[in-house]
Amino acid sequence: MSLAALKATAHAHPRRLRPAAPAGLVACALLAALAFLAALAVGAVSISPGRVLEILAGAFSTPADEAGAAMRERIVVLDIRLPRAVLGLLTGAGTAMAGAVMQGVFRNPLADPGLVGVAPGAALAAVSFFVLGAPLVALLPPLAQTLALPLCAFAGSLITTLLIARLSMREGAMSVATLLFSGLALGALASAGTGLLVFISSEQQSREFVFWTLGSLGGATWPKVALVAPFVGFLVVCAPVLARGLDALALGEAEAFHVGVPVERLKRLAIIAVAAGVGACVAAAGVIGFIGLVVPHLVRMWLGPGHRVLLPASALLGAAVLIAADICARIAVAPAELPLGVVTALVGAPFFLWLLLRRRMIG
Amino acid sequence: MSANARALAGTLAASALCALLAVTPAAAHHVTDASGRRVEVRDTAHIVSIGSAVTEILFALGVGERVVAVDQTSVYPEAARKLPNVGYMRALSPEGVLSKTPSVIIASEGSGPREAIEVLSHSSVPVVLIPDGHSPDAIVRKIEMVADAVGIPEKGQELANAVRSDFRQLAHEIATLKHHPRAVFVLSTAGGAPIVGGAGTSADAMFHLAGLENAVAGVKGYKPASEEVLLTAQPDVIVVMSGGGQPLPPETIFAIPAFRNSPAAKHKRLITLPGSYLLGFGPRTPEAALDLALAARANAKLAPLPVHSWSSEPNP
């Protein structure tokens, strides 16, 4: 069955959107835009908003007579803050949307992209890079050197996910339970490999790796952005198709199959899109917790469980939340920087607990 | 007993003691170590040495042949690299250390984990902890304490005096320099924001010895630094170490937006020194600081330090 057929069948059972949906989407988009602009205006170096706008307006013309301070301000806005904000937009959107898709596939609001082994696989590849990669990296051309770590982590996450998907296929059907268990087993294996490498690593290597696992948008460059964009883009392109299928899947696999949704194909597409999107995000920014869990949950409470609103709203809100967290990471302990994963978990975990408790009081 | 007989007995006893001394390297003696414990050391024939400074000092004192095992950080001199390795100094296994049948364990204060050091201290093998520190005085204290632990205080004084005079000469040479370049020590750039050596780090201490100004003194410890702040820091030189983790060639360092328009990038001033040499804080530190001071300045003239037997090997 082709994707076109998927689309066709999905039209057979439209979900009533909550009246708040369009307004909700607009609100999420505004939040994301606001966070993005704030990320360009705020930082350890203080530059007036007017000057930031001036720099952005003249982004493509380099004034010849620019003095040292003005030139530094230009570099701060265009070479440090802008690629970082774009990377935050991509990773936030990718991680939150991937979380929503995984929760739809597993029909469980607690599922997260980590279930398909993305993080442990990427971590194993990253630690291999830190501990064993030095002699190999020296052989690469300069641009490849700066991208060696993200490429390595991306390969690691993809290989793990494909292995897990392979293991859970039986006679053309993918069992979600087997997927879960093989994900756990392979994740444990990858973590064991990571532990062994940490054990043989030097102090510098283990420190590098620890900071990597805590996540950071630091070191954001345009090549890094270019590395992530196509994969998050793929997830975004797949979203409309996935949304319709996941809505049907919410009724149950057998029910979805009987109303004509190609369930196996849908699950496969979801896993591939999530693995590519999240793999690229983890590769570029390390492991960033809680966005994939908290953001879709928030959107469901606010705009309902329909995936056609949930996926785009999660992407926009995820971008807004991640960029906001990165602003905190950049200015909270300036001139040093907090790891991004620490900020998202520090804010995300208590907020999530509060949500749970509030629901218990009401329920 | 007649006076003659007494003298004879005394002579006999003395010669017996001498014979005994020839067998055991030193009689039992006591050392008060960095943790304030009074440790009794009976035999120093089989030393397990933990920490690069401790190992360098033992070899500089001329008792390198008594070292039976070292840790991963001990990469100088070459003879130390060939010895059995008990693993990383902060992840010691008590049993692994004891399996080398040491008669004494001399370990840098930063060794760990704490439980392992405690278990070793309660074993029958004496553990002498050597204080950590980055100042000339701290390095002299390390030398004196290691020498006391091995029972050769006079040798320790000799080495301590030589290192002290090296530090004096270094300070004198640095004082002649008018220019104090701004420097940044970069530990790593791979995992996101560059991790730099801020105030209170070993790299910061080396900068002071070499008459350099730490351009990121606002950061405390080895931490990821804000790239915007690095950009405004405008370092004249960037210092990295080799032999630790990822290699950091000029292409990598100067491709970072934060360093792209710094004076260091303009004049391509990136200094790479082996980690054990640059941040070892042992007897070779005055020389390392002088090397760093020279490398950081385009055309400074500084008199070289005297050549010593313990620093004549090439770096690993």
Side-chain angles (χ1 to χ4, degrees):
Chain A
M1 205 168 181
S2 65
L3 286 183
L6 244 184
K7 281 184 188 162
T9 51
H11 276 300
H13 39 97
R15 258 181 176 277
R16 283 252 319 284
L17 296 181
R18 291 192 181 195
L25 277 173
V26 170
C28 288
L30 279 177
L31 277 173
L34 201 67
F36 189 89
L37 289 175
L40 297 182
V42 178
V45 173
S46 58
I47 304 172
S48 70
R51 173 70 184 134
V52 170
L53 287 174
E54 189 186 322
I55 291 169
L56 287 173
F60 297 105
S61 58
T62 313
D65 58 339
E66 206 164 37
M71 188 164 146
R72 277 206 287 283
E73 285 179 347
R74 169 180 296 276
I75 293 179
V76 165
V77 175
L78 295 180
D79 292 350
I80 294 175
R81 289 182 192 172
L82 188 61
R84 197 167 173 149
V86 175
L87 192 65
L89 185 87
L90 288 169
T91 45
T95 313
M97 191 145 77
V101 170
M102 286 312 284
Q103 287 148 19
V105 170
F106 285 96
R107 297 201 302 282
N108 181 334
L110 289 178
D112 88 63
L115 283 177
V116 291
V118 172
L124 176 57
V127 76
S128 308
F129 169 87
F130 285 125
V131 178
L132 311 168
L136 303 173
V137 174
L139 306 173
L140 297 171
L143 177 67
Q145 280 196 8
T146 54
L147 286 180
L149 172 63
L151 284 169
C152 221
F154 189 43
S157 64
L158 272 191
I159 290 168
T160 322
T161 309
L162 292 177
L163 260 176
I164 290 170
R166 195 76 221 100
L167 285 169
S168 53
M169 293 296 281
R170 183 82 41 87
E171 290 151 14
M174 184 189 284
S175 146
V176 168
T178 317
L179 187 74
L180 202 62
F181 285 121
S182 41
L184 278 172
L186 276 183
L189 264 180
S191 303
T194 304
L196 275 176
L197 285 166
V198 167
F199 175 75
I200 64 163
S201 67
S202 74
E203 185 152 17
Q204 186 189 349
Q205 290 161 349
S206 59
R207 199 169 181 86
E208 282 180 334
F209 174 65
V210 164
F211 277 121
W212 180 85
T213 54
L214 294 173
S216 165
L217 292 177
T221 51
W222 293 118
K224 239 186 201 177
V225 170
L227 183 74
V228 178
F231 298 103
V232 173
F234 176 62
L235 186 59
V236 171
V237 169
C238 292
V241 179
L242 289 172
R244 299 192 191 99
L246 289 174
D247 278 348
L249 199 62
L251 308 167
E253 284 200 21
E255 289 79 355
F257 183 74
H258 287 303
V259 297
V261 173
V263 174
E264 292 311 321
R265 194 181 289 272
L266 171 79
K267 282 192 293 194
R268 229 169 307 163
L269 179 69
I271 298 288
I272 289 168
V274 164
V278 177
C281 293
V282 169
V287 184
I288 292 159
F290 265 97
I291 298 273
L293 194 62
V294 174
V295 171
H297 187 77
L298 256 182
V299 175
R300 268 191 298 267
M301 285 176 57
W302 181 30
L303 302 174
H307 286 85
R308 269 181 291 171
V309 175
L310 176 65
L311 296 190
S314 291
L316 291 166
L317 193 63
V321 169
L322 194 72
I323 294 172
D326 188 49
I327 294 173
C328 294
R330 284 191 291 129
I331 59 176
V333 293
E337 265 189 25
L338 274 176
L340 184 56
V342 171
V343 179
T344 53
L346 213 57
V347 179
F351 179 74
F352 200 60
L353 278 174
W354 174 77
L355 274 181
L356 289 174
L357 289 173
R358 211 185 56 147
R359 281 184 63 176
R360 268 230 322 255
M361 307 243 185
I362 296 166
Chain B
M1 211 194 243
S2 72
N4 270 344
R6 248 204 314 266
L8 185 71
T11 317
L12 274 176
S15 54
L17 193 65
C18 284
L20 202 68
L21 276 179
V23 177
T24 53
H29 59 279
H30 289 87
V31 202
T32 305
D33 81 348
S35 63
R37 291 173 311 129
R38 197 157 173 274
V39 185
E40 188 190 24
V41 183
R42 294 169 180 279
D43 166 13
T44 59
H46 305 284
I47 306 168
V48 168
S49 168
I50 310 291
S52 66
V54 173
T55 305
E56 275 190 43
I57 292 167
L58 285 167
F59 277 84
L61 290 168
V63 292
E65 77 285 346
R66 297 192 205 169
V67 179
V68 292
V70 296
D71 73 309
Q72 251 174 36
T73 63
S74 303
V75 292
Y76 187 95
E78 202 187 346
R81 279 205 298 286
K82 296 199 171 88
L83 289 167
N85 201 307
V86 294
Y88 183 48
M89 67 178 286
R90 298 190 202 284
L92 297 172
S93 133
E95 202 175 327
V97 173
L98 293 174
S99 74
K100 298 293 166 209
T101 58
S103 54
V104 60
I105 298 161
I106 306 179
S108 168
E109 209 176 11
S111 308
R114 189 186 305 243
E115 297 76 13
I117 298 295
E118 263 167 27
V119 169
L120 286 171
S121 306
H122 294 142
S123 72
S124 56
V125 182
V127 179
V128 183
L129 291 179
I130 306 301
D132 246 337
H134 303 143
S135 65
D137 289 341
I139 292 172
V140 165
R141 260 201 311 281
K142 289 181 201 182
I143 293 169
E144 288 169 345
M145 201 173 283
V146 171
D148 284 352
V150 188
I152 44 174
E154 309 77 22
K155 268 223 150 95
Q157 271 322 316
E158 255 174 66
L159 179 60
N161 288 337
V163 172
R164 234 188 239 120
S165 108
D166 279 358
F167 270 120
R168 261 199 302 273
Q169 190 184 328
L170 169 76
H172 178 78
E173 293 292 328
I174 296 295
T176 63
L177 298 166
K178 298 275 177 293
H179 174 50
H180 299 291
R182 296 166 58 76
V184 173
F185 177 82
V186 179
L187 184 70
S188 154
T189 60
I195 301 174
V196 301
T201 59
S202 47
D204 186 64
M206 277 310 272
F207 284 176
H208 289 296
L209 287 174
L212 306 179
E213 188 191 338
N214 191 348
V216 289
V219 178
K220 306 277 179 280
Y222 287 109
K223 293 278 178 341
S226 158
E227 287 176 277
E228 301 178 20
V229 172
L230 286 180
L231 181 78
T232 49
Q234 292 289 297
D236 302 305
V237 285
I238 292 170
V239 184
V240 299
M241 67 178 190
S242 57
Q246 294 301 315
L248 292 169
E251 300 82 41
T252 305
I253 290 286
F254 297 131
I256 298 170
F259 294 136
R260 203 180 295 152
N261 99 326
S262 64
K266 276 195 200 78
H267 307 116
K268 291 278 172 284
R269 298 194 82 73
L270 175 73
I271 302 170
T272 308
L273 286 166
S276 57
Y277 181 56
L278 180 69
L279 305 176
F281 293 95
R284 294 187 301 151
T285 293
E287 200 183 327
L290 194 74
D291 280 357
L292 178 61
L294 282 169
R297 295 164 173 91
N299 42 21
K301 295 274 181 290
L302 297 174
L305 296 172
V307 177
H308 302 291
S309 59
W310 66 77
S311 59
S312 51
E313 273 189 35
N315 267 306

